[in-house]
Amino acid sequence: MSRKLKSSAVCPHCWHRFRPDQTLWVAAHPELLGDRLLTPEDPVRFLPSRFTPAGEAIDPAGSKTRRLACPNCHLEIPQLVLECPMVIMSLAGSPSSGKSYFLASAMWKLREELARHFSVAFTDTDPAMNRAITNNEGQLFLNEDQSASVAIDKTEMEGAQYNSVQFDPGVATMLAHPFIFTVRPSRDHVNGHAPHRLTQLFTLYDNAGEHFFPGADTARAPGTQHLAKAQVLMFVFDPTQDVRFRQRLAGVSGDPQLAPGAKTTRQDQLIVEMARRVRMHAGLAPQDRVPKPLFVILSKSDIWGPLLKDEDGTPMDITTPPYARERAGLGRMSIKRVDRTSDRIRALLCEVAPELVSAAEDAFERVIFIPVSAIGTSPVLDPASGLLKVPVARIAPRWVTVPFIYTLARWSTHLVSSDKSEGDASFGTPLDSTDMDPS
Ligand SMILES: Nc1nc2c(ncn2[C@@H]2O[C@H](COP(=O)(O)OP(=O)(O)O)[C@@H](O)[C@H]2O)c(=O)[nH]1
Ligand SMILES: [Mg+2]
Ligand SMILES: [Zn+2]
């Protein structure tokens, strides 16, 4: 541990705040199995007293280890959690609104686009922890067979969404699984000489939609506590699950999700429930607005995009990215264009589903509407499996990176430039940023 550690860190699994010297290590010796809070197959966690000159800890059976764990929940944490500020984002939305496709598509495109336009590297902080997402990215974007049609496996994603810890013997507590990404300037970035100081972590939670229905048990699901810790909340709104949008879309798109009989959801109620949980976990009064930004992400824009018009009635461009390289080593985000698009979506929603706008704006201090399409094309019903599958050759995501790069542009002016220089108070500051050395 030669680099500079923060004075304290927060566990991305259980939110326990601890000093780096309290960190536990994960035993490497094959006989040291059976941690008391985890499963009999999990290696024991220990507080080391001996280290190698290279900074590895030596476990009680004499094996060397580099793996770290939280002193409270014993789940594994990446070393960078002890070093870098963390931005926490929580994603919610009704089942089948497109959360898993959006996450896979957004993470893949962030790797590509941040490198290409911004000279910023976006990588897995710990590849093993992100496997559920990277598997999905692989299916959609790295398929060798370009004639294949694929579907993201629902059960795999949901199995990977929670980790079980036995704080009391025999009682399993489910903690939401964090997906952690490292954002850092590359060597050719204008601030590439100080990469360590500008490195930050994006920690994401993909909530199982089912847990968000009002009345779903919360006592056994501390899985939603991250909502209170998150600096940025994202709600995926799926217009194809709204009766009124479906009526308007009947002649506009032939997507199988618009076929008669599909399930519809009261999505405004989910926003209200999300806000209720944020307030509860954060100790806010029921009438208080949540002092954080909410991105309302309208998914599947390939289907409903034609409904979105500019003030003069012309269709809006929601395909070309609102960012580009500004000069060598620096990319620029057009916050103005995103805000203008958000205004137009708000106007459309006020016409078609006004209660959604009121629910969001009543609960959150700042609401930004973003149109995304994870795949940019319609899935096709596969008669053999009954699944909706996506022809990989047609995948072309739209705007999936925008909420993330917008957030970066608001926070990290040293990393991403924008057409609005002043900060945005409602974006607050990243968790632990007080420990960060302003450059
Ligand atoms: N037309 C269209 N369909 C999509 C898009 N993204 C996801 N879908 C479909 O929406 C369905 C649900 O997506 P999924 O991500 O599993 O939803 P989740 O339950 O919220 O995680 C899948 O059948 C996808 O084919 C998109 O960008 N466009
Ligand atoms: Mg899902
Ligand atoms: Zn923990």
Side-chain angles (χ1 to χ4, degrees):
M1 289 211 247
S2 50
R3 290 166 306 198
K4 191 161 177 275
L5 301 177
K6 296 191 287 192
S7 54
S8 72
V10 169
C11 171
H13 301 282
C14 73
W15 310 109
H16 178 67
R17 186 177 273 281
F18 59 97
R19 293 193 321 269
D21 64 335
Q22 299 170 314
T23 309
L24 297 180
W25 295 61
V26 180
H29 194 278
E31 272 160 31
L32 294 176
L33 291 183
D35 186 78
R36 67 188 168 84
L37 301 191
L38 306 174
T39 71
E41 292 78 47
D42 279 301
V44 298
R45 278 51 174 156
F46 68 100
L47 197 59
S49 49
R50 291 183 301 155
F51 292 89
T52 66
E56 297 147 307
I58 299 171
D59 75 23
S63 297
K64 296 177 215 163
T65 177
R66 285 192 179 277
R67 292 163 63 193
L68 307 175
C70 164
N72 183 52
C73 68
H74 288 200
L75 292 171
E76 199 161 340
I77 51 174
Q79 158 94 32
L80 282 179
V81 166
L82 306 179
E83 301 177 11
C84 308
M86 189 157 74
V87 177
I88 302 163
M89 304 185 170
S90 281
L91 186 70
S94 80
S96 297
S97 56
K99 297 180 297 297
S100 299
Y101 277 84
F102 167 63
L103 263 188
S105 183
M107 296 308 111
W108 174 255
K109 290 309 258 181
L110 280 170
R111 296 178 206 275
E112 255 183 23
E113 309 254 298
L114 283 174
R116 177 177 302 148
H117 303 290
F118 294 88
S119 300
V120 167
F122 186 85
T123 55
D124 299 305
T125 307
D126 175 351
M129 275 177 94
N130 290 358
R131 201 149 43 212
I133 292 183
T134 41
N135 281 350
N136 291 343
E137 290 178 46
Q139 283 214 57
L140 297 177
F141 297 100
L142 296 170
N143 207 306
E144 278 187 49
D145 177 7
Q146 281 297 301
S147 66
S149 285
V150 299
I152 284 185
D153 181 355
K154 267 199 133 38
T155 45
E156 186 199 329
M157 193 65 203
E158 264 140 44
Q161 266 170 335
Y162 294 91
N163 295 305
S164 173
V165 178
Q166 298 195 23
F167 287 111
D168 297 309
V171 187
T173 298
M174 304 302 277
L175 297 174
H177 182 87
F179 297 101
I180 309 183
F181 296 86
T182 307
V183 185
R184 106 168 80 223
S186 342
R187 217 179 302 215
D188 60 333
H189 187 278
V190 291
N191 287 317
H193 55 277
H196 202 67
R197 235 173 18 189
L198 290 175
T199 301
Q200 53 186 295
L201 305 181
F202 267 22
T203 299
L204 304 178
Y205 299 87
D206 177 13
N207 293 286
E210 294 73 6
H211 298 179
F212 267 87
F213 286 111
D217 180 25
T218 56
R220 290 292 304 278
T224 59
Q225 280 192 21
H226 52 84
L227 287 172
K229 308 287 178 182
Q231 288 99 340
V232 176
L233 294 154
M234 299 192 184
F235 182 83
V236 177
F237 173 79
D238 177 0
T240 74
Q241 292 188 23
D242 182 277
V243 180
R244 296 149 299 177
F245 266 103
R246 294 174 67 82
Q247 286 160 354
R248 290 189 180 219
L249 288 168
V252 174
S253 160
D255 192 283
Q257 295 167 90
L258 295 172
K263 176 183 62 88
T264 59
T265 324
R266 283 287 308 273
Q267 297 175 76
D268 59 309
Q269 291 188 339
L270 298 182
I271 291 193
V272 171
E273 177 64 14
M274 177 170 171
R276 193 186 69 78
R277 292 196 196 178
V278 175
R279 291 191 188 101
M280 178 181 78
H281 289 305
L284 295 172
Q287 68 279 9
D288 287 344
R289 281 219 171 91
V290 178
K292 302 176 184 187
L294 171 71
F295 284 103
V296 175
I297 298 183
L298 283 82
S299 60
K300 312 179 188 177
S301 70
D302 54 292
I303 301 179
W304 59 267
L307 300 183
L308 188 66
K309 301 272 163 56
D310 220 332
E311 262 134 0
D312 60 5
T314 53
M316 286 197 92
D317 175 8
I318 50 172
T319 305
T320 324
Y323 48 75
R325 190 171 276 291
E326 179 176 86
R327 56 188 156 105
L330 193 66
R332 178 181 175 89
M333 176 76 179
S334 177
I335 286 180
K336 286 183 182 159
R337 181 165 160 218
V338 178
D339 286 347
R340 205 164 46 84
T341 309
S342 170
D343 288 346
R344 294 310 300 159
I345 292 181
R346 183 180 183 282
L348 175 67
L349 285 171
C350 283
E351 219 181 288
V352 184
E355 79 290 346
L356 189 92
V357 178
S358 354
E361 293 182 349
D362 183 57
F364 292 87
E365 212 159 88
R366 176 93 203 284
V367 181
I368 305 151
F369 300 92
I370 311 269
V372 310
S373 176
I375 51 182
T377 183
S378 281
V380 179
L381 184 66
D382 173 42
S385 61
L387 292 174
L388 288 178
K389 292 195 170 178
V390 189
V392 293
R394 293 220 298 263
I395 295 178
R398 303 176 189 177
W399 277 47
V400 287
T401 55
V402 171
F404 302 95
I405 300 181
Y406 187 101
T407 301
L408 268 182
R410 278 307 197 194
W411 264 325
S412 260
T413 45
H414 298 284
L415 216 51
V416 168
S417 101
S418 79
D419 55 3
K420 271 197 177 171
S421 50
E422 78 279 21
D424 182 336
S426 63
F427 269 76
T429 46
L431 196 68
D432 295 342
S433 67
T434 44
D435 299 342
M436 194 172 51
D437 200 1
S439 62

